[in-house]
Amino acid sequence: MKISKILTLVLAGTLLFNISCRNDDPVPAPTPKGAYENGILIANEGGFLTPTASVSFISNDLSKLENNIFSTNNSNAVLGNVFQSVGFKGDNAFLVTNVPNKIEIVNRYTFKKTGTITANLNEARYIAFSGNNTYVTNNNFFDVRKVNIYDNSNAFVKSINFDRYAEKIVSADGFVYVQTDGVTYDANYNELPTGHTISRINPATNNVDKTITLTDDTIIRDMIADNSNVYVLSSDYSNSYIYKIDAKTGTAAQTKLAGVSGALKLAVDNGKIYFLTSGKKLYSYNGTAATAMFDVTTSNVYGFNVIDDKVFVSDPSFSKDNDVRIYNLTGNLLKTITTGIGTNGFYKN
Amino acid sequence: MTKTDLFSAAFLLFSFLGFAQEKTIDTVYIFDNQLNSSKKVQKISKLEQADLLKNSTNLSEVLRFQSPIYIKENGRGMVSSPSFRGTTAQQTAFIWNGINVNSQFLGQGDINNLNLLGYDNLQVKSGGGSVIYGSSAIGGTIHLNNELTFNKGFHNSLFAEYGSFKTLNTFLKSSYSDEKISVKVSGNYVESENDYEVPEKNYINLNGQYSSKTFNLGFGYKINQKNTFSWQTQLYSGIQHYPIFSEYATKTKYLTNNFRSLASWDFKFMKVQNILRLAFLEEEFQYFAYIDRPKSSGGTGKSYIAKNDFNYLFNDKIALNLIAEYQLNKAEGYQSGIKDLSRNAGSFAGLLRWIPNQKFYFEVGAKKDFVENIESPFIYSFSGKFKATDWYSAVFNFSKNFRYPSFNDLYWKPGGNLNLKSEVSHQAELGNNFAHKGFKLNLTPYYMRIENMIRWLPNSVGIASPINTSKVESYGLESQLDFEKSFGKNKAKISAGYVFTHSKDLETHQFLTYVPKYKIFGNSSYGYDFAEIFLQGMYNGLTFTTSDEKLSSAIQPYFVMNAGLNFTVLKIYRLGFKVNNVFDEIYETTAYFPLPKRNYSANLFINF
């Protein structure tokens, strides 16, 4: 055998070896961070009088559903009686409960508990994060309407009190927006607006630096945000309005949704805005006008979101596990799942 | 003048009334005169004071261990409601000395606020009774009775018990009677820290303390052979802190104040017996969503009742009973939308009783209620008894019963619905009674259908509002075996009940929540001379707690046993020891509210 052939063989062998070695090297293949990484967290409010609040998980492809993931992963710990909302910060999920007054912090992918916030909470509602701080609305619908601020180590910093309301809270483009008006009732239990304000907290000073007064006379129902805008939905049973607020400047632009009554819930997904009305009609909103999409099936409107082009709608009951219907954007029912009691929210994990 | 002043003044006034001496036989007066007739055709079990003291903690325990009823209790001593023959809490009527005392607001009896230690006996009547006892007497009625005795002289009893979880139960009862006058006063005080733990369930009964005090006064005066005047009054006040599931939950509390007063004039001459009653009931509750702040909701309800019960004996075979009643109900709520309510209600009922011979007994009853602004049905009852032999008798009942909507159902804001109709039930039962030597066996299968059931469901805007929606079908079997025997210084007593209940919502085809399919309860005691030992056992089968029959949320079957020892010393002193939940069973009667594990108490009972 010629030496050149041997060399070629050796070369080829080295090449092969190298290739195989490279194959053995840790290619940054995604290592799973936990069982709940690629899916949706579902908040089940609970029965109020019983500690039945729970969290469910469904995988993105809707193939895997697991209920009670907080209890299961934390030696059967009780979450609470009224589970209000979820917020995310880094690898952590913050589970806000209204009864009892606490926020459970868990790893969002494993759901192992990593901490608890209880200081100065009084019927906590929603949560947002900006910079190092955590902002939590509290509203007992009586004499407490405030935002509590906690630092990066979850220590209490201060409270900001509001006159009438403190409900939804979002963070966008370096500012925190608080829904500071909502619904109240007259003596005959007819709905009335408490007012029409959205307040902005500047995280640099942790003070309110702007109050935006909406220009219609209906009731503020919901507020969400994308990276740079805040969207506010207000309605009564004849008209609905959407406001787009530029988070940086705080300027609001109103769209009157002609002929749309009782819009209640907002969702944002892949840059598109959706809303659901008390008449169980789903609409999309393109920045200037709303387009009716389809009717959803539920006894009344409660938990709602649109995640990766899938529409999640809960059929609320507080005495038994709820059905959640999942539709695609053309209105085909993809799947009906059974979650927990009082399903009130869906969060992309 | 406050209630208490009025009460004391009246007491003094009556104390001065004549003490004329006229010899009459000693008798026992009970206010609820209709119970004696009902006994002939319906299943009634009577619990005497000695029975009640075996479960001295509260009325929930008594009914749980000594009756066929399921008691749903949110932790020991807390909110508690009954389910009788597979019905809801509003379909059992609590009858205080013959008067329906279910709450005007809730339509149900708040069992742990009905006081236990102030009554002389308690009777549990299975099956409908709306013709006589009114709204809510559908599944059955629970009768809380005070008695007045004549010609018994002075008598006092003192009971004091101390037990686990810093629980104190006490009462003092004094009575005096001669041929004409009977006075009975009793007071009781109950309190408990109630801080029990059930580590297996990760449960501590936080903020579960309670206390209550009651004052009862009974007075009877035999004016002459024909006329008797009687009066019974109760003053109750209770505080319950409601348990919380987390130290970070907001603590709450609930206050109850009740005042009940009943005056009765019994006239009896030849073939006529007439009883005229006037009653005043006042219920007050206050709920504090924050334990140390002003109340967050509450209500005061007042009822002024006049009732006349006329009975005419045509001969020794036929009697006609006519009952007329008028009520004025007033209610004032706080933060509930119930404002300055006033409602007139009245009813006429007639019952014909016929005893053709010694083997048969028949009773036919009919009643029409007139409740302002509420459609209420014409109701009726047919009963018959057939005594076949010395050892077997059968009773048959068919009746239509109702419950009218409560003030909360009608006026609560938000949601109250003024268009509600009364709930209506039709039911039939066949009671079989066997008796042989010391044994008694009762087997009572029943069937019941309830329509227009009121249920709070979310309306189009998501606010819960009551509507007449459901239909429920219940059937089952109640059975009870009793045995009693004395020989020499020995005395043995056994009583055991087996209950089968099938209760389904006919629209959803699901079983009703908090209705166990099976319940077995037993009580036995054996006494020798000065010593007595007793055992109580109760088995409760699988119980659904959610309306979708979810098995993982259901209460699993459990068996709880209690035991006790009593020693009588120097005739008047009785020393008692009890162990509740001997086998340390982990159990709940309301989901998520475990009841205590093994616990102890010791008591002293003095009769002099």
Side-chain angles (χ1 to χ4, degrees), chain B residues 98-320:
Chain B
I99 305 282
N100 187 324
V101 291
N102 279 21
S103 165
Q104 296 285 345
F105 296 98
L106 295 167
Q108 67 186 63
D110 184 359
I111 299 182
N112 285 338
N113 278 316
L114 277 165
N115 175 41
L116 170 68
L117 301 173
Y119 305 115
D120 296 305
N121 68 64
L122 194 149
Q123 303 195 36
V124 177
K125 182 164 86 71
S126 300
S130 286
V131 168
I132 291 168
Y133 295 106
S135 180
S136 290
I138 293 177
T141 46
I142 296 162
H143 302 257
L144 311 161
N145 294 325
N146 293 94
E147 288 175 355
L148 290 168
T149 47
F150 287 89
N151 229 0
K152 292 279 186 190
F154 247 116
H155 192 77
N156 300 290
S157 40
L158 171 71
F159 177 82
E161 180 177 60
Y162 189 78
S164 302
F165 326 121
K166 301 195 181 89
T167 305
L168 180 71
N169 298 314
T170 58
F171 75 76
L172 174 67
K173 203 183 269 188
S174 291
S175 58
Y176 170 78
S177 64
D178 59 19
E179 297 90 338
K180 298 215 71 142
I181 282 203
S182 177
V183 182
K184 190 182 270 185
V185 190
S186 74
N188 68 270
Y189 180 72
V190 166
E191 69 166 35
S192 178
E193 273 300 308
N194 210 19
D195 52 351
Y196 60 91
E197 294 184 24
V198 185
E200 291 81 352
K201 284 264 179 184
N202 231 335
Y203 184 81
I204 304 171
N205 201 44
L206 290 169
N207 196 50
Q209 61 264 52
Y210 63 84
S211 69
S212 74
K213 39 184 193 271
T214 321
F215 181 67
N216 292 290
L217 172 66
F219 173 82
Y221 177 59
K222 289 189 174 175
I223 301 161
N224 52 40
Q225 293 278 16
K226 294 175 196 143
N227 296 287
T228 306
F229 173 78
S230 320
W231 182 44
Q232 184 68 44
T233 290
Q234 182 179 68
L235 202 54
Y236 173 89
S237 77
I239 304 175
Q240 292 160 302
H241 289 196
Y242 285 164
I244 49 176
F245 294 98
S246 157
E247 59 185 302
Y248 303 114
T250 306
K251 289 181 177 176
T252 62
K253 70 178 174 190
Y254 189 80
L255 304 190
T256 312
N257 288 299
N258 291 323
F259 178 76
R260 302 183 175 120
S261 196
L262 163 69
S264 180
W265 169 38
D266 292 43
F267 171 80
K268 208 173 182 176
F269 182 66
M270 306 286 281
K271 294 179 167 183
V272 172
Q273 186 187 9
N274 192 71
I275 305 169
L276 175 66
R277 293 196 183 91
L278 297 174
F280 173 69
L281 310 175
E282 183 174 342
E283 55 173 313
E284 188 202 357
F285 71 92
Q286 294 176 40
Y287 175 68
F288 298 77
Y290 292 84
I291 200 162
D292 45 10
R293 292 205 207 159
K295 70 179 171 196
S296 35
S297 63
T300 306
K302 291 178 186 175
S303 295
Y304 303 83
I305 303 169
K307 193 171 179 176
N308 194 69
D309 184 316
F310 171 84
N311 196 47
Y312 183 77
L313 292 164
F314 290 97
N315 50 48
D316 58 359
K317 288 199 164 85
I318 295 183
L320 177 68

Side-chain angles (χ1 to χ4, degrees), chain A residues 49-52 75-76 81 99-102 118 122-123 140 142-144 185 187-189 237 300 319-321 341, chain B residues 202 245-246 248-250 290 293 337 413-415 458-463 545-548 550 553 590-593:
Chain A
L49 294 172
T50 52
T52 45
S75 20
N76 292 322
N81 294 33
V99 178
N101 297 300
K102 70 180 168 69
T118 57
N122 192 330
E123 306 207 14
N140 68 0
F142 176 56
D143 59 355
V144 174
Y185 300 90
N188 292 316
Y189 241 84
Y237 292 99
N300 54 298
S319 65
K320 64 177 172 81
D321 289 344
I341 291 176
Chain B
N202 231 335
F245 294 98
S246 157
Y248 303 114
T250 306
Y290 292 84
R293 292 205 207 159
K413 275 184 186 163
N459 63 14
S460 58
V461 290
I463 292 172
T545 64
T546 52
S547 52
D548 56 354
K550 191 181 173 191
S553 298
T590 306
Y592 308 102
F593 292 94

